[in-house]
Amino acid sequence: MTDSTYEARVITLPVERTLTAARRRAAEAATRQVAPLGGGIGGVDDWGRDPSLVKLSARLGRLRWRTVVGGQQQLPTRAGALIVVNSRHYALSAVWAAIALGEATGRTVRFAGRSDVAPIGALARRLGGLLSRPDEVAGALRAGELVVMGAAPVFHPRRVGRVDHRLVGAAVATQTAVFPAATASSPLGRGARVEVGPAARSRRRRRGPLTELELADQVERRIGQLLDELGGTQTGTPLDWLPLSGMGGS
Amino acid sequence: MGGDLGSRVAERLEQESWVGSLMGIDVDPPRRRLHRSEFHLMAPTEHDRIVDTITAFDPHVVVHISVWEPYSRATPGLARRLTDDAATSILGAAAECRALESVVVRSGIEVYGRARGAPTRPDEAADVAPTSDYGRMLAGIETTAAAIGARIGVAVSAIRMGTVLGPHVPSPLGRLLRMPAVPFSVLADPPFAVAEDIEVAKAFVEAARRRLAEPVNVVANGAITTLQALRRGRRVPVPLLGPDWRIAQLVSGLFGAPIPDHVLELLHRGRLADNSRMEELVGFRPRATTGEVIDRLYAWPTVIRIPAREQVA
């Protein structure tokens, strides 16, 4: 049997060993002091998303919303896909839908439309935010990522704003599927829902940019249909009986 | 061929069967043992000598690595001047060579810039819009090389590499991260990616072998933020907000790790690049992740200065 530490023991004097041990103890003590300063912060991925922060946000989100996700089985298990959701002003629908879909599918889901100004932009980036740029979205789709983008925000919960055809064009360029998805939430209750529809496909084969324009229009219509199928949200109050909007009463 | 990256590339090229004779020019002698390379010690300002030497050699491939990163080995002003001189002399001389088939130049992901709204993870097709001195220097080299390539009809490729960190590479970022206390942007703490010297050298050799005619991003996989890097290195993070960065720059400079504007930009805005085309363009995927490269940065032994036992002078 060979003793691998023999040489080290023979040529290291006792005083030297004591000094080495003292140095090691000092280094460990310094480590113990420094490590907690950044404790609890995980690594980031290629785009700067921090999975531990996303998990924490999902946990916090569950305190407010009880989100039901439907139709997620239609999403690809490995390939990239663009998911377009309806968006309400100040509702952060895309962020919330990305987190909910990430929880439901077990895949990394990003969202397009983050700000590029710190600290909001930096926080959104940690949550998986991408800039609303076709090249940025195309890069993520090419890498096989799921990306959620919001239609133009509107105040009405049952209406859909314009879908940015430039971002849909990123999906066309990378030959990834585009899925319409409807989001609905109750302003007073805890109920919230994300319903993913089947992938939208261009009816006509086009050679030029009409492909993305027609696809964006089609996605917009399909989200509207999905919202109609959801039937609106219920507040649980007499407001539901008033013919105000999509808040019920139909 | 004198710098760490240059001698590493030369060492790899010597092992390639397709490489016949190999000649290098630098202001410093090679840092590695080279067996069949011919080396010429010349300053970038010796324009006529450089032109004569290169035209006499008449190369098929020119690999231009002579770039001085600000505050790596020279102050920003001197770095700019040396880089410009070297690019003018070497690329200008290469254009006179009849046998020339391909030019590979050193560039960096700093050429994409980090202006507000710029792509987070630009690919090779993204616009070149530098926002730092170093980025502009590199973009200038790419423009010069592309103009020469278009004029004489040879393939020109740019290796757009992330910040190179390696045991002997003089890097202002590496030096800063190894300080005992390091500043970081508390509001943003953006992610960045780095590159390993070995993989960058391999990319240069592959680009030369394939006569690559387009730019390629060479960065390690993954990303890391400054705070996360400091945690890995057990350094004390110093959170900064805004105006105090000026003081931090000054203090860091006094302690031997000056912060150039492109490193400051990295600390504030991050620096990532899409490396998904590496396999297609240079035939390999980076093996090391950014986290691993950072770990190695901290694993390098510190220089221990041992005082003389007896003062003789």
Side-chain angles (χ1 to χ4, degrees):
Chain A
M1 279 205 17
T2 54
D3 183 356
S4 57
T5 60
Y6 173 76
E7 201 179 352
R9 280 191 285 113
V10 167
I11 60 167
T12 311
L13 297 169
V15 179
E16 221 174 319
R17 275 208 297 273
T18 314
L19 281 174
T20 310
R23 269 196 216 115
R24 194 178 297 134
R25 272 199 299 277
E28 280 167 7
T31 301
R32 278 199 298 275
Q33 282 174 352
V34 173
L37 290 169
I41 299 167
V44 291
D45 67 13
D46 287 335
W47 278 265
R49 180 181 179 271
D50 184 345
S52 54
L53 188 67
V54 175
K55 234 176 237 175
L56 180 71
S57 308
R59 221 175 292 153
L60 288 174
R62 277 198 291 270
L63 296 176
R64 169 67 182 89
W65 303 109
R66 199 182 54 240
T67 310
V68 177
V69 178
Q72 77 273 21
Q73 70 281 351
Q74 303 187 77
L75 296 172
T77 48
R78 279 187 184 176
L82 181 69
I83 303 148
V84 188
V85 298
N86 58 306
S87 181
R88 276 164 62 192
H89 280 290
Y90 318 114
L92 300 174
S93 309
V95 185
W96 162 66
I99 292 174
L101 284 168
E103 291 265 291
T105 58
R107 287 189 63 183
T108 299
V109 184
R110 303 178 195 281
F111 63 92
R114 78 164 168 88
S115 146
D116 200 14
V117 180
I120 302 294
L123 179 69
R125 186 198 268 208
R126 295 290 178 87
L127 290 173
L130 303 172
L131 296 174
S132 276
R133 291 178 55 120
D135 51 356
E136 182 117 333
V137 172
L141 293 175
R142 210 177 295 120
E145 303 280 335
L146 294 178
V147 180
V148 174
M149 67 166 273
V154 289
F155 283 106
H156 200 293
R158 297 275 296 274
R159 287 193 188 140
V160 189
R162 296 290 298 166
V163 174
D164 188 348
H165 65 88
R166 294 172 314 132
L167 297 188
V168 173
V172 172
T174 53
Q175 296 180 333
T176 42
V178 182
F179 292 85
T183 62
S185 59
S186 163
L188 301 174
R190 291 189 67 218
R193 192 161 175 188
V194 181
E195 188 68 35
V196 183
R201 280 190 184 82
S202 242
R203 283 177 195 164
R204 287 183 186 175
R205 188 174 287 245
R206 302 280 194 189
R207 292 172 64 193
L210 275 180
T211 314
E212 54 241 44
L213 284 167
E214 287 174 357
L215 194 58
D217 287 344
Q218 196 195 338
V219 168
E220 196 180 311
R221 278 196 303 274
R222 296 278 295 280
I223 298 172
Q225 287 165 6
L226 283 169
L227 282 171
D228 288 343
E229 285 166 17
L230 286 184
T233 53
Q234 302 292 314
T235 62
T237 66
L239 279 173
D240 294 338
W241 296 93
L242 298 174
L244 288 173
S245 57
M247 298 294 293
S250 52
Chain B
M1 206 182 257
D4 184 73
L5 189 58
S7 53
R8 207 177 269 281
V9 172
E11 202 178 31
R12 277 187 166 270
L13 282 171
E14 281 195 341
Q15 291 160 9
E16 294 286 317
S17 58
W18 60 271
V19 178
S21 44
L22 193 65
M23 190 198 78
I25 294 172
D26 209 321
V27 72
D28 295 314
R31 296 189 185 194
R32 285 184 172 75
R33 182 180 283 272
L34 299 173
H35 299 280
R36 58 189 184 98
S37 303
E38 183 187 326
F39 178 76
H40 296 266
L41 192 70
M42 286 182 219
T45 45
E46 292 180 83
H47 178 73
D48 293 342
R49 224 181 121 204
I50 291 175
V51 172
D52 289 346
T53 312
I54 292 177
T55 47
F57 186 71
D58 198 16
H60 287 91
V61 179
V62 168
V63 180
H64 175 64
I65 309 177
S66 281
V67 174
W68 278 260
E69 185 181 354
Y71 282 136
S72 62
R73 285 181 291 164
T75 56
L78 183 61
R80 196 179 312 117
R81 208 168 58 238
L82 289 170
T83 304
D84 285 350
D85 284 342
T88 312
S89 305
I90 295 168
L91 294 177
E96 300 304 317
C97 300
R98 299 246 169 237
L100 190 71
E101 291 170 8
S102 166
V103 177
V104 183
V105 295
R106 170 180 168 177
S107 185
I109 58 173
E110 287 83 0
V111 297
Y112 298 118
R114 292 298 298 127
R116 196 150 282 157
T120 314
R121 206 167 166 265
D123 60 11
E124 289 84 354
D127 292 340
V128 171
T131 45
S132 63
D133 261 359
Y134 185 45
R136 281 185 280 272
M137 271 162 60
L138 297 171
I141 294 173
E142 279 196 28
T143 310
T144 309
I148 287 171
R151 201 159 159 181
I152 60 171
V154 297
V156 174
S157 143
I159 306 292
R160 291 178 181 164
M161 53 200 202
T163 303
V164 180
L165 297 178
H168 303 289
V169 182
S171 158
L173 177 67
R175 226 177 273 145
L176 177 73
L177 291 178
R178 276 176 64 99
M179 297 284 277
V182 186
F184 77 100
S185 169
V186 72
L187 290 181
D189 192 29
F192 60 90
V194 296
E196 197 179 23
D197 51 354
I198 302 165
E199 286 179 341
V200 171
K202 196 175 167 188
F204 271 105
V205 174
E206 282 300 311
R209 190 174 68 81
R210 292 164 179 243
R211 310 288 196 266
L212 194 66
E214 56 186 305
V216 55
N217 290 341
V218 178
V219 292
N221 291 323
I224 199 164
T225 70
T226 313
L227 183 60
Q228 287 161 3
L230 302 183
R231 279 191 68 215
R232 290 176 100 114
R234 313 286 187 202
R235 264 42 180 188
V236 178
V238 182
L240 297 184
L241 277 169
D244 37 6
W245 273 100
R246 291 273 170 215
I247 302 162
Q249 265 183 295
L250 188 74
V251 172
S252 183
L254 286 174
F255 281 94
I259 309 174
D261 69 339
H262 65 283
V263 172
L264 198 66
E265 187 180 69
L266 177 146
L267 297 174
H268 277 111
R269 304 268 307 143
R271 183 158 283 131
L272 301 172
D274 187 343
N275 63 359
S276 57
R277 291 193 70 207
M278 266 181 79
E279 185 139 34
E280 174 198 341
L281 298 176
V282 287
F284 72 97
R285 294 274 301 158
R287 277 187 304 174
T289 64
T290 293
E292 285 165 359
V293 178
I294 293 288
D295 285 343
R296 279 174 215 157
L297 170 87
Y298 289 115
W300 304 332
T302 311
V303 175
I304 301 164
R305 290 184 177 79
I306 302 166
R309 278 188 191 166
E310 198 181 330
Q311 210 66 31
V312 290

